[in-house]
Amino acid sequence: MTDELVRVYVPATVPMLARLREQGLAVDEAHAVTPELREWYAEGDEEELEYIAFTRAAQDALLLLRAEAAAPRRRVVVSADLPAPSVRRVDGELGSSVVRLSGPVPVTAVAAIHVDGAEAVEEVAAAAEVVADARAGDPDAQFTVDGAEDHELEWYDVTELDLLLREIS
């Protein structure tokens, strides 16, 4: 019998991707379709719920960029399939998609890598500067963050990791 797998969406940065193959993604939290998210958005189908969790991970990637000034100004979300026992819900807050991970996400668990394209860099850089203000309710900052969110992240297979890193560097 195999463990049930849970799809998680891990916010990351390009430097974190550079360490993925050797060290995995050393993060504590990610986003997933949780019972709290299902209850909050009961009319949503699985694809819509996954999109919400993915979008929240992309928003958290902005917070990582704010803290990591030297990182290229591109949001990164890593989609990974982890054994259910290694993914724990954080709280019971209605609508929450946050989960806690029991250890690093290994490259073997990665289903896809999502990264902003070059055309998004300017808007992402501006959004990373004001994302904390947006979360605190500043409407002007939220407008800037929304500008970055207008850009769809590009999809890469994990086998394209080295190519992706060369293109961005």
Side-chain angles (χ1 to χ4, degrees):
M1 184 170 135
T2 61
D3 280 336
E4 176 188 353
L5 296 177
V6 176
R7 171 66 52 98
V8 296
Y9 303 97
V10 184
T13 63
V14 172
M16 291 170 72
L17 283 182
R19 299 185 296 268
L20 174 60
R21 194 174 313 289
E22 285 77 32
Q23 302 170 11
L25 288 176
V27 296
D28 295 329
E29 292 184 347
H31 291 269
V33 177
T34 62
E36 293 81 8
L37 181 59
R38 284 183 200 286
E39 184 179 342
W40 172 74
Y41 194 59
E43 69 275 4
D45 64 19
E46 194 67 18
E47 189 173 314
E48 289 172 308
L49 295 170
E50 288 177 358
Y51 185 75
I52 291 168
F54 176 89
T55 300
R56 290 177 178 173
Q59 292 167 351
D60 283 356
L62 285 173
L63 291 170
L64 293 174
L65 287 174
R66 185 169 191 264
E68 201 171 326
R73 305 284 91 179
R74 297 183 189 213
R75 295 169 298 165
V76 175
V77 175
V78 175
S79 298
D81 296 317
L82 299 175
S86 67
V87 179
R88 295 185 330 270
R89 295 193 323 242
V90 172
D91 60 37
E93 184 178 319
L94 187 63
S96 177
S97 61
V98 177
V99 292
R100 187 162 314 280
L101 306 179
S102 64
V105 176
V107 70
T108 55
V110 174
I113 300 168
H114 312 270
V115 182
D116 274 310
E119 75 285 346
V121 169
E122 188 175 311
E123 287 90 354
V124 169
E129 291 297 317
V130 299
V131 66
D133 296 332
R135 287 200 170 186
D138 181 322
D140 293 331
Q142 186 60 53
F143 182 79
T144 302
V145 169
D146 290 345
E149 291 178 355
D150 287 342
H151 294 277
E152 292 290 324
L153 278 71
E154 298 174 355
W155 182 94
Y156 294 88
D157 187 81
V158 70
T159 61
E160 299 174 288
L161 177 59
D162 294 331
L163 173 68
L164 172 62
L165 290 171
R166 278 195 304 276
E167 285 179 2
I168 293 176
S169 298

